[in-house]
Amino acid sequence: DNLYLCVADRIEVTNFHGAVKSTMGLTDAEGDPTTVHVAGNSKGAYLAVGTDRGFIKAWDISRREAKQHTLVGKKLYAASPSRATSVQITCDGSRISATLEIQQAAGQPASTTRIGNKNAPPAPWSRSTSLYVFLVNEDAMQEHDFSPAGRIPCGHFWDPVECKLLAVETRQLVSHAAQGRGGAQVEITTIFSTPEVGLKVRDSFSADDEIESLIALQVPRFYFASSGEASNEKEKEQADEDGRTRTGERTESANRASRLCSRVMREFVGMDKMDETTQHALVDFSYYLTIGNMDEAHKAVKLIKNTSVWENMAKMCVKTKRLDVAEICLGHMGHARGARAVREVVAQYTTPTGVSEPDVCA
């Protein structure tokens, strides 16, 4: 029953009538709040804030009196002035993600910028191509730079249950678009964040042209705001081999009314309605497959009996060129001929240094 308002150098906690119940302050060095996010679950609730000086800070708001969750405000980028443009905290309070704008003189690296020169024109602000993730318990910073792909991060959302899984909406850099380089207007990248391996990209795909922005991630689906031509979940769906959610025929009025659409994650195509235990096992399988830990990947799903789950995992293994795991999946499907074919291919292309990639992979 609280509202959290960014006011000057503090966060004010008010009731719905506007009466201030308490405040959460920031130091002069940390700056003024520019963006705020609240998340929680049955075990607690947390508030994260980003400031106009590039700091992030968090509080535990599950108690009557808010308690500081991070020891101090954390500076995300120290090389030049910066300000937070968005911030998200996981529902367990373990991770905070943020995007920035950075100020630096045109044509100069950030380390040589002289903001204090009164005769110089104001240095421009530009959006950073990096996504920052702060691990609260480890007091460690992680960063993923999208500039090699010619993109900048915009919206970013943590899964409300799988707190190591993050979805990031990216858009093409203006410089790349001006040069006529290819690339979709909106792309979605999913990333795993763990203390052991840092940030690891799980998957990336281009959104349909009618998609305006990503608004949420909740396994097994991504949720989008659309321009009105996107799919309606109540209508007949067709899932292609990439996991894209499509619909059958729609009326013109239904097209105009559609503002929310979704897409099933790759692992859950054709089987997005399942119990939480199986969902968690598939996410763990995807994580271990991403980092290359095949033993743990197999352990994560070895108790699953559903053959459609194993079929989808076999498709994932083919796409990620992990034929060794595909053989296991085909075995659980009872597909003896397929398992034997994979085993023969693995044997054929096995070298002293490992399994070489064949020219053509099923």
Side-chain angles (χ1 to χ4, degrees), residues 51-55 75-86 98-113 115 122-132 143-145 147 152-153:
T51 76
D52 61 358
R53 293 193 175 181
F55 280 80
K75 179 74 170 175
L76 297 176
Y77 185 80
S80 65
S82 60
R83 59 191 181 195
T85 55
S86 63
T99 57
L100 295 175
E101 285 185 337
I102 296 173
Q103 187 180 37
Q104 63 184 64
Q108 293 184 359
S111 59
T112 62
T113 301
I115 303 300
W125 291 87
S126 60
R127 298 173 71 172
S128 171
T129 57
S130 290
L131 175 82
Y132 299 87
E143 177 184 354
H144 182 77
D145 186 6
S147 62
I152 55 174

Side-chain angles (χ1 to χ4, degrees), residues 75-293:
K75 179 74 170 175
L76 297 176
Y77 185 80
S80 65
S82 60
R83 59 191 181 195
T85 55
S86 63
V87 65
Q88 294 276 314
I89 189 168
T90 56
C91 57
D92 65 353
S94 62
R95 298 167 177 84
I96 304 171
S97 58
T99 57
L100 295 175
E101 285 185 337
I102 296 173
Q103 187 180 37
Q104 63 184 64
Q108 293 184 359
S111 59
T112 62
T113 301
R114 294 184 295 173
I115 303 300
N117 186 349
K118 295 182 179 181
N119 296 324
W125 291 87
S126 60
R127 298 173 71 172
S128 171
T129 57
S130 290
L131 175 82
Y132 299 87
V133 174
F134 177 59
L135 304 181
V136 175
N137 297 331
E138 291 78 13
D139 190 28
M141 187 66 68
Q142 299 174 337
E143 177 184 354
H144 182 77
D145 186 6
F146 288 90
S147 62
R151 309 194 68 81
I152 55 174
C154 299
H156 46 108
F157 302 90
W158 295 97
D159 185 89
V161 177
E162 304 291 344
C163 293
K164 63 176 175 286
L165 182 60
L166 174 69
V168 185
E169 173 195 334
T170 68
R171 294 181 180 263
Q172 194 174 29
L173 282 169
V174 174
S175 59
H176 278 234
Q179 295 170 10
R181 300 188 185 183
Q185 176 64 22
V186 177
E187 288 187 1
I188 307 301
T189 300
T190 46
I191 299 175
F192 285 113
S193 168
T194 62
E196 296 80 14
V197 300
L199 297 178
K200 291 292 184 181
V201 173
R202 166 193 164 273
D203 191 20
S204 184
F205 63 88
S206 300
D208 293 334
D209 292 340
E210 67 268 15
I211 296 301
E212 294 180 343
S213 63
L214 177 69
I215 59 174
L217 163 68
Q218 184 168 2
V219 173
R221 291 182 176 271
F222 303 97
Y223 292 91
F224 303 95
S226 77
S227 60
E229 299 295 332
S231 62
N232 187 325
E233 281 300 296
K234 293 182 180 179
E235 298 174 302
K236 182 181 179 181
E237 297 177 347
Q238 299 172 339
D240 66 14
E241 62 180 5
D242 292 325
R244 190 183 308 276
T245 300
R246 301 187 185 277
T247 61
E249 296 181 357
R250 299 185 300 273
T251 64
E252 184 179 352
S253 60
N255 281 340
R256 290 197 301 267
S258 297
R259 300 297 299 178
L260 178 69
C261 63
S262 69
R263 172 170 172 164
V264 181
M265 297 175 69
R266 183 180 60 186
E267 297 91 331
F268 298 93
V269 174
M271 54 172 192
D272 54 311
K273 295 180 180 179
M274 60 177 58
D275 60 89
E276 292 183 3
T277 301
T278 304
Q279 284 189 7
H280 180 70
L282 281 175
V283 173
D284 280 350
F285 175 80
S286 178
Y287 166 67
Y288 289 120
L289 198 63
T290 299
I291 66 174
N293 190 331

Side-chain angles (χ1 to χ4, degrees), residues 308-345:
S308 63
V309 174
W310 286 104
E311 181 180 352
N312 268 22
M313 289 190 293
K315 292 178 181 178
M316 283 179 55
C317 293
V318 172
K319 290 179 180 180
T320 55
K321 301 179 181 179
R322 296 307 309 236
L323 295 183
D324 48 350
V325 184
E327 178 187 351
I328 298 173
C329 296
L330 289 168
H332 280 276
M333 291 166 55
H335 200 311
R337 182 179 297 178
R340 184 174 66 249
V342 171
R343 190 160 51 249
E344 291 173 354
V345 170

